[in-house]
Amino acid sequence: MRMRRRGTKAGTITIAAVMGSVVLTGCGGDSEPKAEAGASSAASGSAQDQEQSTKAVRAAYDKTAEAESARMTVRTQLAAEGKTITSEGKGVLDLAEGDSVMTITAEGRSLEQRVVDEVLYQKAPGRKAPEGKPWIKIDLEKFAAQQGVDNQQFGDPAQTAAFAKAITDKDVTEVGTEKIDGVNTTHYRVSVDVAELPGGDRMREQFGSTLPMQVWLDEEGRLRRQQIDMTVKDAASASAKPGDGSAPRQLKMSTVLQFSDFGTDVDAEAPPAEQVTDMTDQALQGSRQQS
């Protein structure tokens, strides 16, 4: 029986969803999720309201993690050089371990995906890895380390507390109330000061000075939806000198995670080793070439 690690490793979900988008390689436009009918605006302005909003957002991680698991959907949209790749995933997530079982679809194609101990496993029907095996695996911790990003800092569906030190009362705004899957929620808009995060000076070069985030919390203070929109400069162009004639290459990424059925069972197991090809080195090499 595995001992449960303190905290959550669920930040792997965003990277996994992005990798799924690349594997499926679909292009096409789409719009951001719209507020459901019945949403009401109730933006708060008083100092007391701001303080209460900030406390609610800061406490969301603990409240969500207490549920231990959830059913989830994740929608990732990547846009670069005039092309857009959109993927949608559905599955279940262990909020403490970060393990998950999902099906990801893009442009009418799908793949089976598992994340176990921060390792991504994928199997696309009808496609095999170079060694003729049905599954590939990528070490997400190594992949995140190469990108210079803590695997738990961005896109973690229950890691709102990781931003707590970087959030002040002026950074949180209550937008209003909305129903998500029939559940009453309060919608908050958050601006995170990247410089206040660990490694912030380095991350500002790629992510900019602020990280725009939106969260929808239910009446128990748990995350029902989280949306993060980022414009990412690749490492090479981010360091380009002014006047060299080349504009920084940018990737716009929007990730929306939605949660329901808290406490659901999660049975995530790694595929048999003889059915898996390790593609971590190839993924790292491809990422270096893009930068």
Side-chain angles (χ1 to χ4, degrees):
M1 180 177 181
R2 279 189 303 168
M3 293 182 64
R4 299 176 68 84
R5 298 188 292 273
R6 180 175 178 82
T8 178
K9 299 291 184 180
T12 55
I13 294 302
T14 293
I15 297 176
V18 172
M19 296 301 296
S21 299
V22 174
V23 170
L24 294 172
T25 315
C27 294
D30 210 338
S31 58
E32 295 183 358
K34 299 179 180 179
E36 296 186 12
S40 62
S41 176
S44 55
S46 72
Q48 184 177 5
D49 288 339
Q50 290 286 353
E51 182 180 359
Q52 291 177 343
S53 296
T54 303
K55 286 182 177 179
V57 173
R58 284 176 170 169
Y61 162 71
D62 287 333
K63 295 291 186 180
T64 307
E66 287 173 1
E68 297 190 345
S69 64
R71 192 167 299 280
M72 70 170 183
T73 62
V74 54
R75 182 176 183 275
T76 300
Q77 183 169 305
L78 306 173
E81 299 179 346
K83 295 183 179 180
T84 301
I85 299 174
T86 302
S87 71
E88 295 185 354
K90 295 182 179 181
V92 290
L93 167 68
D94 185 319
L95 290 165
E97 298 288 349
D99 294 352
S100 64
V101 179
M102 299 179 64
T103 299
I104 294 180
T105 60
E107 294 297 304
R109 300 168 64 185
S110 66
L111 59 80
E112 183 179 348
Q113 176 172 289
R114 304 175 191 174
V115 175
V116 182
D117 293 334
E118 297 188 73
V119 176
L120 166 70
Y121 298 91
Q122 291 182 334
K123 180 175 72 172
R127 301 176 63 184
K128 292 186 177 181
E131 297 179 9
K133 299 177 182 179
W135 290 89
I136 66 168
K137 77 173 184 178
I138 296 173
D139 187 319
L140 295 177
E141 188 172 15
K142 290 182 180 178
F143 190 87
Q146 180 192 280
Q147 304 304 308
V149 179
D150 185 331
N151 201 26
Q152 298 181 61
Q153 284 178 346
F154 292 107
D156 192 325
Q159 190 74 6
T160 303
F163 306 114
K165 293 182 180 180
I167 296 174
T168 64
D169 292 348
K170 65 181 178 60
D171 298 323
V172 179
T173 302
E174 181 179 334
V175 178
T177 57
E178 299 178 27
K179 281 189 178 292
I180 296 179
D181 291 336
V183 175
N184 294 324
T185 69
T186 302
H187 178 191
Y188 299 93
R189 184 172 288 111
V190 184
S191 178
V192 181
D193 185 350
V194 174
E196 295 297 323
L197 297 173
D201 290 340
R202 179 180 56 186
M203 288 188 292
R204 286 185 67 180
E205 296 179 0
Q206 287 187 280
F207 298 100
S209 60
T210 59
L211 176 70
M213 179 173 69
Q214 298 180 71
V215 296
W216 288 256
L217 309 183
D218 63 19
E219 293 177 345
E220 296 182 46
R222 303 175 300 191
L223 284 161
R224 287 286 175 164
R225 179 185 291 167
Q226 175 175 290
Q227 178 169 337
I228 296 179
D229 299 294
M230 293 188 291
T231 298
V232 185
K233 297 178 183 178
D234 69 40
S237 63
S239 60
K241 296 181 180 179
D244 65 0
S246 61
R249 289 184 299 171
Q250 294 184 340
L251 168 72
K252 292 187 176 181
M253 181 171 73
S254 177
T255 302
V256 180
L257 300 115
Q258 194 157 305
F259 307 94
S260 62
D261 196 13
F262 289 109
T264 192
D265 291 335
V266 179
D267 184 14
E269 296 184 358
E274 64 272 15
Q275 297 183 17
V276 179
T277 298
D278 191 339
M279 300 288 287
T280 302
D281 290 342
Q282 291 87 333
L284 293 174
Q285 182 178 1
S287 179
R288 293 190 193 102
Q289 291 174 348
Q290 290 177 0
S291 62

